[in-house]
Amino acid sequence: KVADLKGLKQGQLRLAVITTAKYFIPRLLGPFCQLYPGIEISLQVTNHEGILERMTNNMDDLYIMSQVPEHLDVSYQQFLENPLVVLAPINHPLSKEKNIPIQRLADEPFIMREPGSGTRRAVQQLFDQHGVTVKVKLELGSNEAIKHAIAGGLGISVLSRHTLLPDTGDLTILDVENFPIKRDWYMVYPSGKQLSIVARTYFEYLLDAAKQIVEQTVVSSSDKHEESGIN
Ligand code: PGA
């Protein structure tokens, strides 16, 4: 299949990815562009609702998201886990505790993603299931801004573990019951759409890269005799 593309000097790849994938996808574009230097790439980063809107308007070749849309006819493929974890400043009193009851989070000031965010929806669903009402002190439309707000002592939050790449900095993951929230990343495209050869090549490239990352994580965590935290 790679050979098919060798002759292809030019092509376009339009990607739209949810906010958590921006910690991961751009890094993998480097090697892809080196393999196929003639391909021009555009990458849009937006929240879950933004992806749905772009998909409805058929604006991109491939979409990366954590929740496959229920009301659109799409083809999809899971490629990596995207767990959501509870984050606090590194010196937080709860940071040494184990199995913190989820109800305990109601006592902490909470920083919430904006409406339209898939992270927010997943967090809200879990809290609703357990009858937990958090005190939302601040609403922020950016994972990065939320990390800084946590570090600044404004509160705790729930974000994708991938937002901690390349390192946790001055944050820590709290060991709260019912966390992490299990989520996955999927590559998605409208079922009726014939993928271009460029998009298909990228699709396979990403599947392969994800597989290697999973293998590396397994190897490095068994090397260290501990569970790999972030990779
Ligand atoms: P978000 O994407 O930016 O919409 O929160 C993350 C997700 O849906 O898991």
Side-chain angles (χ1 to χ4, degrees):
K1 283 162 217 141
V2 171
D4 291 348
L5 213 75
K6 280 262 162 70
L8 196 75
K9 295 256 168 20
Q10 270 159 8
Q12 242 204 347
L13 177 64
R14 288 162 307 178
L15 298 174
V17 312
I18 50 164
T19 65
T20 55
K22 80 162 187 209
Y23 294 87
F24 176 79
I25 295 298
R27 228 174 265 239
L28 284 180
L29 281 176
F32 183 77
C33 289
Q34 270 161 16
L35 274 175
Y36 309 111
I39 294 174
E40 233 176 71
I41 300 176
S42 76
L43 174 66
Q44 297 293 328
V45 181
T46 177
N47 69 13
H48 181 80
E49 200 169 272
I51 297 281
L52 289 182
E53 206 176 298
R54 295 188 67 88
M55 200 183 279
T56 308
N57 294 318
N58 192 23
M59 295 179 77
D60 311 276
D61 298 311
L62 276 177
Y63 302 85
I64 291 172
M65 61 202 309
S66 287
Q67 172 114 32
V68 178
E70 288 149 24
H71 304 296
L72 295 172
D73 187 14
V74 294
S75 304
Y76 60 91
Q77 166 87 50
Q78 186 273 0
F79 67 96
L80 214 58
E81 294 181 351
N82 180 29
L84 306 184
V85 295
V86 185
L87 295 179
I90 203 153
N91 54 1
H92 194 278
L94 291 177
S95 63
K96 303 252 158 25
E97 291 190 25
K98 295 252 169 283
N99 286 321
I100 302 162
I102 188 169
Q103 276 76 14
R104 183 68 185 72
L105 299 186
D107 302 334
E108 300 289 324
F110 197 87
I111 307 167
M112 189 66 107
R113 283 283 307 275
E114 77 288 0
S117 147
T119 304
R120 175 186 172 118
R121 196 159 78 165
V123 169
Q124 200 61 64
Q125 249 168 23
L126 183 73
F127 286 161
D128 288 350
Q129 266 170 30
H130 294 272
V132 176
T133 310
V134 287
K135 290 183 286 193
V136 179
K137 163 125 180 175
L138 187 64
E139 207 174 271
L140 272 180
S142 144
N143 298 314
E144 225 27 48
I146 288 180
K147 281 166 57 184
H148 287 291
I150 299 170
L154 281 166
I156 62 167
S157 189
V158 176
L159 292 179
S160 162
R161 201 168 62 189
H162 290 283
T163 64
L164 295 177
L165 287 173
D167 64 63
T168 48
D170 28 18
L171 306 183
T172 187
I173 298 177
L174 297 185
D175 181 9
V176 181
E177 277 173 5
N178 305 105
F179 283 91
I181 300 176
K182 208 177 147 347
R183 249 164 119 71
D184 290 283
W185 275 331
Y186 299 88
M187 271 185 283
V188 185
Y189 61 93
S191 292
K193 188 162 169 154
Q194 169 110 36
L195 283 188
S196 69
I197 187 158
V198 175
R200 187 168 302 282
T201 305
Y202 182 75
F203 193 102
E204 283 164 18
Y205 167 82
L206 190 55
L207 275 185
D208 195 51
K211 226 181 278 161
Q212 285 178 27
I213 286 168
V214 172
E215 278 161 18
Q216 275 166 17
T217 310
V218 172
V219 171
S220 65
S221 60
S222 60
D223 271 359
K224 287 189 237 143
H225 299 287
E226 64 183 26
E227 220 178 277
S228 168
I230 298 157
N231 290 319

